[in-house]
Amino acid sequence: MPRGDLFPDISPYETGLLPLSPSGAAADGVNHVMYWEQVGNPRGQPVLFLHGGPGAGAGAVHRRFFDPGHWRVVIFDQRGAGRSRPLGELRENTTPHLVRDIETLRRFLGIERWLLFGGSWGSTLALAYAQAHPERVLGCVLRGVFLGRREEVDWFLYGLRRIFPDAWAAFAEHVPPEERDDLLSAYLRRLTDPDPVVHLSAARSWSNFEGMCSTLLPSPELVASFAQDRSALGLARIEAHYFAHDLFLPPEGLLGRMDRIASIPAEIVQGRYDMVCPPATAFALTEAWPRARLTLVPDAGHSALEPGVRTALVSAVERFRRRS
């Protein structure tokens, strides 16, 4: 897939591993360590990239949404994901933990305020962080909006079969027929099974399903990236864990707290044919956010790397640049 509208490949100028647990062993024996990196201009305007999933991790291509001459780009892998460790760890892994981790990273890097950039689950986490710390947020660029509501999770688990019946059949057939009325529980049992044969097989099935539904046109390259063992395990296990706990969001949900960020500007980019996170959610968020601007990409699905979506995201970031 050509990506000429993104900025050129770039390497970090700084990377690190940041301990997240209290000094010494945590009470239940888990010590989370966050991988982080900085890219671009060390004296530039700070922007934080928030990856999807939860559990998907960040990659080199995500550095390319930002002009490296202007932006000080901070990228990190959330608890249990990507290069953070332990991989796929569910203990002490909730949305409030991740919000605190972002603040820990901000203070560690000495950043006062930053722009938030997140898609899919990254949009959820951006909203949760902004609502907890609005004074630290310059603005938001969000893509493929996911609000973590029960109907959105149910759509992913069952509704997608209306559009992708073949992909859903393969997803459902990974578990016995008698367990298919509760796919989430069936998968979570397998994803947390100690036997690698069991949990890796379930992770590949879950991740293949998500990858196959994420683009308007088939993308074998994207599906293959989802199916790699390390990325599949972090994505599937952590995603199922969060889905089983209503994404660890407050009872009133993110829409119930929009008053906290009403004055923060936002750019929302949404694929018209996004089947993983359908456009109705982005519309609901836009209606609740006085300073949000919605860009609907007419020929795209869910993936940030589809041509129209990536172009719209780069343009949205550039509009924030011109405001500074």
Side-chain angles (χ1 to χ4, degrees):
M1 168 184 305
R3 296 171 185 167
D5 45 343
L6 297 180
F7 291 96
D9 285 319
I10 188 172
S11 297
Y13 65 81
E14 186 178 20
T15 66
L17 293 170
L18 182 63
L20 298 173
S21 300
S23 58
D28 63 357
V30 58
N31 282 304
H32 284 280
V33 179
M34 173 203 292
Y35 169 85
W36 60 270
E37 64 183 41
Q38 295 197 85
V39 176
N41 183 353
R43 294 172 295 282
Q45 187 174 357
V47 55
L48 177 69
F49 177 87
L50 297 166
H51 68 69
V61 71
H62 298 135
R63 305 166 185 159
R64 299 180 57 196
F65 287 100
F66 313 97
D67 182 345
H70 178 81
W71 296 99
R72 175 185 177 185
V73 185
V74 180
I75 298 176
F76 76 104
D77 288 334
Q78 297 157 28
R79 291 183 178 221
R83 294 149 291 185
S84 292
R85 57 181 193 247
L87 177 68
E89 178 59 62
L90 303 184
R91 291 172 294 173
E92 295 186 13
N93 196 337
T94 69
T95 302
H97 281 107
L98 299 185
V99 169
R100 289 198 293 273
D101 293 347
I102 295 171
E103 268 297 276
T104 298
L105 181 60
R106 183 192 63 79
R107 291 192 298 268
F108 175 76
L109 296 176
I111 292 172
E112 184 67 23
R113 300 174 73 204
W114 45 14
L115 177 69
L116 305 181
F117 181 108
S120 196
W121 160 255
S123 72
T124 322
L125 184 55
L127 290 167
Y129 174 80
Q131 291 174 359
H133 301 282
E135 73 285 358
R136 301 301 180 190
V137 179
L138 294 166
C140 296
V141 177
L142 307 180
R143 185 267 313 163
V145 174
F146 178 61
L147 297 176
R149 298 171 297 182
R150 175 50 51 185
E151 60 263 33
E152 295 172 70
V153 174
D154 288 344
W155 169 262
F156 176 83
L157 292 169
Y158 293 100
L160 274 170
R161 64 180 156 180
R162 301 177 188 176
I163 314 298
F164 294 95
D166 49 346
W168 186 86
F171 175 61
E173 287 168 6
H174 187 78
V175 303
E178 63 271 17
E179 296 186 56
R180 292 175 194 166
D181 287 340
D182 188 356
L183 286 171
L184 181 55
S185 295
Y187 263 93
L188 191 55
R189 281 192 296 273
R190 288 162 176 80
L191 290 165
T192 54
D193 191 288
D195 185 348
V197 173
V198 176
H199 64 239
L200 285 175
S201 177
R204 290 187 207 106
S205 177
W206 179 291
S207 299
N208 269 325
F209 173 60
E210 186 162 344
M212 291 177 69
C213 300
S214 289
T215 52
L216 177 60
L217 299 176
S219 174
E221 176 191 31
L222 181 73
V223 175
S225 70
F226 270 68
Q228 294 174 3
D229 283 352
R230 281 188 61 83
S231 55
L233 181 61
L235 171 66
R237 181 184 286 171
I238 296 174
E239 201 162 80
H241 166 65
Y242 272 66
F243 284 0
H245 293 88
D246 296 316
L247 285 299
F248 300 99
L249 295 172
E252 68 272 27
L254 295 169
L255 289 180
R257 297 186 169 193
M258 290 305 296
D259 60 301
R260 303 184 182 194
I261 58 173
S263 64
I264 294 175
E267 295 273 355
I268 299 172
V269 174
Q270 181 71 38
R272 164 72 75 181
Y273 299 104
D274 185 339
M275 292 294 105
V276 175
C277 297
T281 303
F283 273 80
L285 179 61
T286 305
E287 289 177 349
W289 201 342
R291 299 199 64 191
R293 165 181 168 155
L294 175 63
T295 299
L296 196 63
V297 181
D299 56 352
H302 183 65
S303 173
L305 298 179
E306 291 180 271
V309 175
R310 62 179 190 258
T311 299
L313 286 170
V314 169
S315 297
V317 173
E318 287 297 288
R319 283 193 288 274
F320 269 105
R321 171 181 174 168
R322 291 193 290 270
R323 293 181 187 186
S324 61

